[in-house]
Structure formats: structure tokens, C-alpha cells
């Protein structure tokens, strides 16, 4: 393995990508210009160093079944998830060598559907159009359709982690955690144990905590995380489902963020450990919470 695995970017699939991107900007995020995948999805990224939030939608239904690997087609999967509800449907894992990391995960008992290599047109500020070159290794579990993963290797990272796109008015620098609601927390914890290791997986009174190369993952029964962070409710999940429902984002301090949210008319709940945005529908059915750096 070339670097410790961590969640590179969760995929938030939505009906209207521009409206959702505008909602994220109201939270103080900068969003990269909308781009397009060869399998018919559109993408707008909130970039952090070596991670991102990817807002996705459907722009060309005629391409949804292209670049299929066996029974799995990336575009079709996103469209099917969106037909059920908006929200996070897959999570990419950061990889500097997708082929090597694939072998590691397969040795740990996970099944890889195969590899997808593709290019996407990108234009960074002040430059001509260019192409990002990306390799994906798909680890899709039909029993966990919204909690599956794929390895993501950027062969031209200078076209992705662009300084101008990583400078956010709210000062955000990356993820502190991701929270999954799971009807069967043990099943999902077993998957993450195979990805991040036995030593990284900890049983707690509330569920599970999994340490990753950057930040950690919570697994909770449905309805629990909202109560823990002071929200009246949380996204509803389907029976027997497991899905990422929340992202904690690191900001340097809460005072600047509070002023920004107030000026933009965003409502929130604040307690000692962070600020949680009260509505999740505008953000792709996903709870957004802000916390200070771990050392503070």
C-alpha cells in the first residue's frame, strides 16, 4: 500500500447540481466548475488537500451504461440511487497506487469488479483546457449499495488539487469524520475492518469508530447520530440499509464560521464540540457539521 487508505471523496448524488452547489457555497465552501464524466454524470467538487466532497447529478442518460464492468455500471448505479432519494451513494478511497491497493483489499477478502480508466476535461484558473487522468478499482457489494467503495488514483493530481479551489471562505481544510447509519452496524464494520484493518476498528457503546489515514468513521444505528449532535432529526434510511448520512468538516475556528452562516441566513445548532447545520435537504440529504482541528 502506497499510503494509508482514507475516504477521498463521498459521492453526493442530487437532482439539481447547480442548486446544491449554491447551497454548499452558502456554508462558505468554494466549488470547482461543473465537469462531466464519460458515463453521463456531472460533477462539482468541494476540494480539500487529498480529499473532497463530490456533488453529482445526471446530465446524459444515454451514457449511463457505458464503461460497465460486468453487471456494474457507474452511471447506472448513480441514476438508480437518485431515483430512490438524494444522498451519498458511494465513497472513493484515496490511493496513490490503485493496482497495489486492489491486491491488498482482495487479500483481505473483498471482491473487486474490475478497473475503470478514464479521462475528464478540466480547466484550472489561468490555463487552457486539459485532461485529468483517473483510475478506479471498483469494490461494490450489492448488499451494501450505498456503503460500497472504489479506489481512486489521480494520475495528474495537479489538475485536481488546485490551490484556488481549496481556499474556502469558511477556512475548511478537510474531513474530521464520516458517519454511517446502519441497520446492521456489525456487517458494515466488518467491511471497513477489511479496508482499514482490525487495529483501526473499535467497538463503542454507541456503535463503531474506525480510524483511517485521515479522519475516522462512525457507525450508528438509524436515528442516533442526530440526537448525539443536537439535531431534531436525520436523513431517513431504507429498511436494512447502510449509508453515510453526515460529514464533519474541520475549520480553524467557529467564530468566523458563525458570522458567515449568520450573514447567509443559514440556521444551525451549536454545542461545545461543533456547529451542525439544521437542515440536510439542501445539501443532498446529508448532515454537514463543522468542528475545530483535532488538537483544539
Amino acid at each position: 500500500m502506497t499510503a494509508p487508505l482514507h475516504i477521498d471523496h463521498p459521492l453526493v448524488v442530487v437532482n439539481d447540481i447547480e442548486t446544491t452547489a449554491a447551497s454548499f457555497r452558502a456554508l462558505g465552501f468554494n466549488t470547482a466548475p461543473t465537469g462531466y464524466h464519460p458515463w453521463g454524470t456531472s460533477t462539482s467538487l468541494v476540494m480539500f488537500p487529498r480529499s473532497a466532497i463530490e456533488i453529482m447529478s445526471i446530465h446524459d442518460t444515454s451514457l449511463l451504461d457505458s464503461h460497465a464492468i460486468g453487471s456494474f455500471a457507474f452511471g447506472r448505479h448513480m441514476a438508480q440511487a437518485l431515483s430512490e432519494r438524494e444522498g451519498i451513494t458511494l465513497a472513493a478511497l484515496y490511493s496513490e497506487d490503485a493496482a497495489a491497493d486492489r491486491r491488498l483489499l482482495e487479500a483481505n477478502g473483498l471482491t473487486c469488479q474490475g478497473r475503470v480508466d478514464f479521462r475528464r476535461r478540466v480547466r484550472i484558473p489561468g490555463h487552457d483546457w486539459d485532461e485529468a487522468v483517473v483510475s478506479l478499482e471498483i469494490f461494490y457489494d450489492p448488499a451494501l449499495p450505498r456503503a460500497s467503495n472504489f479506489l481512486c488514483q489521480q494520475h495528474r493530481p495537479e489538475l485536481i488539487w488546485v490551490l484556488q479551489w481549496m481556499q474556502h471562505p469558511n477556512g475548511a481544510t478537510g474531513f474530521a469524520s464520516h458517519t454511517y447509519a446502519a441497520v446492521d452496524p456489525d456487517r458494515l464494520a466488518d467491511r471497513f475492518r477489511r479496508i482499514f484493518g482490525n487495529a483501526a476498528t473499535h467497538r463503542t457503546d454507541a456503535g463503531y469508530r474506525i480510524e483511517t489515514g485521515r479522519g475516522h468513521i462512525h457507525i450508528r444505528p438509524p436515528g442516533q447520530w442526530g440526537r448525539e449532535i443536537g439535531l431534531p432529526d436525520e436523513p431517513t434510511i431504507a429498511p436494512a440499509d447502510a449509508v453515510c448520512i453526515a460529514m464533519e468538516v474541520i475549520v480553524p475556528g467557529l467564530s468566523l464560521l458563525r458570522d458567515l452562516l449568520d450573514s447567509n441566513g443559514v440556521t444551525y445548532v451549536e454545542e461545545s464540540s461543533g456547529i451542525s447545520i439544521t437542515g440536510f435537504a439542501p445539501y443532498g440529504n446529508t448532515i454537514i457539521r463543522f468542528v475545530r482541528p483535532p488538537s483544539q
Side-chain angles (χ1 to χ4, degrees):
M1 178 166 38
T2 56
L5 291 176
H6 66 268
I7 290 182
D8 182 302
H9 56 277
L11 277 55
V12 187
V13 62
V14 300
N15 289 300
D16 187 331
I17 193 169
E18 300 301 337
T19 298
T20 304
S23 296
F24 274 86
R25 288 193 292 272
L27 300 183
F29 292 113
N30 185 16
T31 58
T34 299
Y36 303 94
H37 295 122
W39 45 75
T41 54
S42 52
T43 174
S44 181
L45 293 163
V46 176
M47 299 301 307
F48 311 120
R50 300 300 182 267
S51 60
I53 301 168
E54 183 165 16
I55 307 165
M56 297 186 70
S57 193
I58 309 300
H59 83 91
D60 189 341
T61 56
S62 71
L63 299 175
L64 294 178
D65 293 310
S66 65
H67 293 75
I69 303 176
S71 61
F72 182 84
F74 206 106
R76 180 62 61 188
H77 174 78
M78 301 305 290
Q80 176 60 40
L82 184 57
S83 72
E84 298 167 356
R85 63 188 185 280
E86 293 187 324
I88 295 173
T89 181
L90 293 171
L93 302 173
Y94 175 85
S95 178
E96 296 176 355
D97 187 336
D101 286 332
R102 169 183 174 164
R103 291 191 292 271
L104 174 70
L105 296 189
E106 287 180 323
N108 289 344
L110 293 180
T111 299
C112 182
Q113 280 70 33
R115 184 182 180 99
V116 177
D117 294 300
F118 74 96
R119 295 170 180 261
R120 179 172 68 84
R121 294 187 76 212
V122 177
R123 186 175 186 177
I124 64 176
H127 293 74
D128 292 332
W129 284 99
D130 209 328
E131 283 190 322
V133 182
V134 190
S135 295
L136 312 178
E137 298 281 1
I138 309 298
F139 284 83
Y140 176 69
D141 182 349
L144 294 169
R146 286 182 175 263
S148 290
N149 310 94
F150 59 94
L151 296 164
C152 181
Q153 180 181 357
Q154 299 287 347
H155 296 280
R156 301 193 64 192
E158 72 277 6
L159 298 180
I160 303 299
W161 290 291
V162 178
L163 180 61
Q164 293 96 316
W165 295 341
M166 295 189 292
Q167 294 174 327
H168 303 284
N170 61 21
T173 58
F175 295 119
S177 75
H178 296 81
T179 297
Y180 283 76
V183 176
D184 184 354
D186 294 340
R187 182 189 184 107
L188 183 56
D190 180 67
R191 177 178 178 84
F192 286 138
R193 185 180 291 110
R194 296 174 189 272
I195 295 174
F196 302 108
N198 290 327
T201 305
H202 308 284
R203 191 75 164 89
T204 69
D205 291 340
Y208 286 91
R209 177 185 171 103
I210 295 97
E211 306 297 333
T212 81
R214 288 194 176 200
H216 57 271
I217 295 170
H218 299 291
I219 304 176
R220 297 288 189 271
Q224 188 178 98
W225 183 246
R227 292 193 299 271
E228 286 186 34
I229 61 175
L231 293 179
D233 55 5
E234 66 179 41
T236 301
I237 72 171
D241 208 352
V243 59
C244 184
I245 60 167
M247 296 179 278
E248 281 189 322
V249 178
I250 299 170
V251 292
L254 300 182
S255 178
L256 172 65
L257 174 68
R258 191 184 307 112
D259 293 342
L260 187 152
L261 296 177
D262 289 342
S263 66
N264 289 340
V266 177
T267 59
Y268 55 89
V269 171
E270 182 174 3
E271 25 78 42
S272 60
S273 59
I275 288 178
S276 303
I277 307 304
T278 53
F280 43 79
Y283 317 104
N285 206 29
T286 304
I287 295 171
I288 308 297
R289 187 166 188 260
F290 296 93
V291 296
R292 302 178 186 87
S295 59
Q296 293 186 16

